[in-house]
Amino acid sequence: MSTDDKSKLTTSWGAPVGDNQNSQTAGARGPTLIQDVHLLEKLAHFNRERVPERVVHAKGAGAHGYFEVTQDLTAFTKASFLSEVGKQTPLFVRFSTVAGENGSSDTVRDPRGFAVKFYTDEGNYDLVGNNTPVFFIRDAIKFPDFIHTQKRHPQTHLKNPNAVWDFWSLSPESLHQVTILMSDRGIPATLRHMHGFGSHTFKWVNAEGQASWVKYHFKTEQGVQNLAPSVAAQLAADNPDYHTEDLFEAIKKGDFPAWKLCVQIMPLEDANTYRFDPFDVTKVWSQKDYPLIELGRMVLNRNPENYFAEVEQATFSPGTFVPGIEASPDKMLQGRLFAYGDAHRYRVGANHQALPINRPRSEVNTYQRDGQMRADDNGGGSVYYEPNSAGGPSETPAYKPAAFEVSGSADSVVYDHHDHYTQPGDLYRLLSEDERERLVQTIVGAMKPVEQDAIKLRQIGHFYKADPEYGTRVAAGLGLSIPE
Ligand code: NDP
């Protein structure tokens, strides 16, 4: 059999298969023989078809596309893929819900993951954000506890509104994200009809080594559209994969979704005096203070060929930076710099970055060797340590991260700004009367199953502090009065 003969079924070790329908037995009615090694291999591989599901963001849909620079911002960053107007960079995007399992419904009320992998000419850059500009918590040390409340009760295996609202009411920094989640934008109409955000503050560094703080906004060119809860519930029953299907079908028929990528840029020194801590991911930077500046355009124009190989095995990490883009001291980001890579090493393996979907398009020269599922030549016989006198790859000092001055004592310190209420209040006040009414109805519906009034009253207090009308309307909907 020639190696390119695609018509002959083979075993996984390449030998032609004689019978793929009937297993070998001892006599026509006898037991199955262990010598049918093709059968053994087939069953054994089937048992191993799943990699561990992501603990969060398990249900996802992905697509390939490109990014094109539309405005020169080289005054702020030396990132090579942003170096000239018109420059295009291939990319892969994975959208996801957060709390549900791999088979769960797309049309639930949940933030959506919005993860972009830019295959730049100086390595991969991952922008791993959400469809909301803020997050529920602002210190990674709270993340496992927070996600426990979003997942299932350890005894009943049911979702648990008591835990959800207990945690939120005891973590008032969540109020801003809770308000966005409970608003109309909590259930996007499709993955194409939502914005994306880097959410965290990042650092940009230009060719002169000067740094600025930056926030990213992907603005949907399709317009923001949302689903009414009743429509979303019906879709969840009729077509749990509605968003996945919509994205695939749109791209298949050539209706390529696109987003404008904008940034807000803050001079480094403003971080010391801005009225909110600009590294606190529960806060936005007002666009009145730091207007959006257009940077480029992202277009999704190619569906994956294989879901598992591309969407499931895609590994994103907010720590996957390229020269010119660095971390900020945002405590949630700092935790994620560790957590994402760690999740992928556990879930996909130590060599996850060498898989075709994750492999940089630029040259990779490391001294990493071996590890499970090393599928390339493992560096062959080349030098495998550094420093060496064999002329192996060596560091380029010009690419050192920008120095950043710090001061103070090593300690567990609370964020220095405790205003959890102004920005959720601003959001409430920018909603129309109809939007406010739906927001309150949604919150009331979500809080009704909470068993303890003490939790409800604590949370009503937070809504009230954001805007007295907001708190009063939620309280009325729950048949409670405003606590002292
Ligand atoms: P601006 O008026 O400059 O910006 C308001 C922002 O709110 C716009 O980005 C707009 O996005 C967005 N927005 C409009 N309607 C809704 C909605 N129903 N749900 C969620 N977002 C909406 O004011 P500020 O920058 O001072 O922000 C005021 C409040 O707006 C903030 O407290 C925050 O809650 C919210 N917001 C702010 C963002 C920011 O980066 N500053 C980003 C998103 C929300 P669009 O017009 O594209 O829909």
Side-chain angles (χ1 to χ4, degrees):
M1 189 175 69
S2 76
T3 49
D4 58 359
D5 184 351
K6 298 258 188 256
S7 69
K8 277 207 176 77
L9 179 71
T10 74
T11 61
S12 53
W13 58 94
V17 171
D19 192 335
N20 196 41
Q21 308 303 317
N22 305 291
S23 45
Q24 293 177 29
T25 51
R29 296 196 156 188
T32 304
L33 294 177
I34 225 169
Q35 71 173 28
D36 190 346
V37 285
H38 171 57
L39 167 71
L40 305 188
E41 176 68 19
K42 204 171 160 181
L43 296 179
H45 189 273
F46 176 69
N47 278 344
R48 289 162 178 78
E49 282 186 359
R50 299 285 173 273
V51 296
E53 183 174 291
R54 293 168 166 89
V55 181
V56 283
H57 297 278
K59 175 85 188 282
H64 297 268
Y66 67 90
F67 176 74
E68 181 170 342
V69 178
T70 54
Q71 186 164 188
D72 182 351
L73 293 182
T74 52
F76 301 100
T77 177
K78 63 183 176 191
S80 160
F81 77 110
L82 304 176
S83 63
E84 58 186 299
V85 171
K87 185 163 182 174
Q88 290 195 352
T89 298
L91 54 77
F92 183 75
V93 175
R94 183 176 182 272
F95 302 113
S96 51
T97 52
V98 178
E101 297 84 4
N102 203 342
S104 58
S105 171
D106 285 343
T107 57
V108 291
R109 184 174 299 281
D110 206 5
R112 298 303 188 278
F114 196 114
V116 185
K117 186 181 289 297
F118 299 85
Y119 302 98
T120 91
D121 45 16
E122 282 189 333
N124 287 352
Y125 174 47
D126 291 352
L127 191 45
V128 197
N130 280 328
N131 69 335
T132 65
V134 295
F135 196 59
F136 297 96
I137 52 172
R138 53 190 179 169
D139 190 321
I141 203 165
K142 295 181 78 161
F143 189 75
D145 298 289
F146 165 58
I147 292 300
H148 283 176
T149 71
Q150 298 292 307
K151 294 282 186 177
R152 295 173 183 278
H153 185 279
Q155 182 183 22
T156 62
H157 202 55
L158 300 173
K159 295 289 177 68
N160 182 10
N162 297 308
V164 168
W165 291 99
D166 192 24
F167 183 89
W168 281 343
S169 65
L170 290 168
S171 307
E173 69 270 31
S174 62
L175 188 65
H176 197 180
Q177 176 80 322
V178 168
T179 301
I180 295 175
L181 178 66
M182 296 293 155
S183 79
D184 290 349
R185 295 189 186 195
I187 316 180
T190 79
L191 299 168
R192 299 176 294 124
H193 291 92
M194 61 185 195
H195 297 325
F197 300 88
S199 303
H200 301 290
T201 296
F202 295 94
K203 192 196 287 170
W204 269 7
V205 182
N206 70 11
E208 283 73 49
Q210 292 157 341
S212 317
W213 303 118
V214 66
K215 274 189 186 282
Y216 297 94
H217 300 241
F218 286 98
K219 293 286 201 179
T220 172
E221 290 185 8
Q222 292 66 240
V224 170
Q225 286 178 29
N226 307 302
L227 289 177
S230 56
V231 176
Q234 190 61 49
L235 280 168
D238 292 347
N239 183 0
D241 306 316
Y242 177 73
H243 283 169
T244 308
E245 184 180 20
D246 170 84
L247 181 67
F248 195 93
E249 290 302 318
I251 293 175
K252 192 169 144 194
K253 66 174 197 256
D255 180 9
F256 301 142
W259 286 259
K260 283 213 166 37
L261 179 57
C262 302
V263 288
Q264 291 175 285
I265 298 176
M266 178 186 284
L268 212 61
E269 53 281 7
D270 283 20
N272 303 324
T273 52
Y274 192 47
R275 62 179 184 278
F276 294 104
D277 184 333
F279 309 123
D280 173 350
V281 72
T282 66
K283 310 275 194 299
V284 294
W285 302 353
S286 174
Q287 294 169 48
K288 295 170 195 90
D289 300 331
Y290 300 99
L292 296 187
I293 304 168
E294 192 181 316
L295 167 63
R297 186 163 183 261
M298 175 173 85
V299 179
L300 300 182
N301 60 2
R302 182 162 62 88
N303 278 318
E305 284 297 316
N306 184 281
Y307 183 87
F308 183 85
E310 293 157 73
V311 187
E312 189 65 6
Q313 293 201 119
T315 58
F316 299 87
S317 166
T320 303
F321 291 120
V322 290
I325 307 177
E326 300 178 11
S328 80
D330 174 337
K331 293 184 204 186
M332 192 66 210
L333 171 63
Q334 292 278 322
R336 293 180 78 211
L337 297 179
F338 162 72
Y340 280 63
D342 187 56
H344 303 317
R345 287 186 285 270
Y346 159 68
R347 205 177 69 81
V348 187
N351 289 309
H352 68 97
Q353 285 162 325
L355 291 170
I357 190 66
N358 301 320
R359 200 167 48 217
R361 305 294 193 259
S362 58
E363 189 79 21
V364 177
N365 297 314
T366 78
Y367 291 96
Q368 290 182 354
R369 295 291 185 274
D370 307 354
Q372 280 192 340
M373 300 305 298
R374 189 82 207 201
D376 58 12
D377 72 350
N378 194 29
S382 64
V383 59
Y384 51 93
Y385 59 88
E386 225 254 321
N388 61 68
S389 38
S394 58
E395 67 212 19
T396 311
Y399 290 118
K400 269 176 62 169
F404 176 60
E405 207 160 291
V406 294
S407 63
S409 319
D411 196 0
S412 314
V413 184
V414 69
Y415 264 98
D416 61 0
H417 202 287
H418 297 279
D419 179 359
H420 311 302
Y421 305 105
T422 301
Q423 293 197 352
D426 288 346
L427 178 58
Y428 180 80
R429 289 181 285 274
L430 76 75
L431 300 181
S432 68
E433 172 48 31
D434 286 353
E435 287 175 313
R436 289 184 193 185
E437 180 54 29
R438 289 193 293 271
L439 169 71
V440 168
Q441 274 176 19
T442 298
I443 291 172
V444 168
M447 287 181 74
K448 268 207 172 124
V450 175
E451 284 153 8
Q452 297 99 318
D453 277 353
I455 294 177
K456 292 188 209 172
L457 290 168
R458 193 160 57 216
Q459 185 65 35
I460 288 167
H462 298 317
F463 294 132
Y464 187 89
K465 286 185 204 165
D467 193 289
E469 181 192 289
Y470 188 8
T472 305
R473 289 171 76 164
V474 174
L478 289 169
L480 294 167
S481 41
I482 301 293
E484 277 303 307

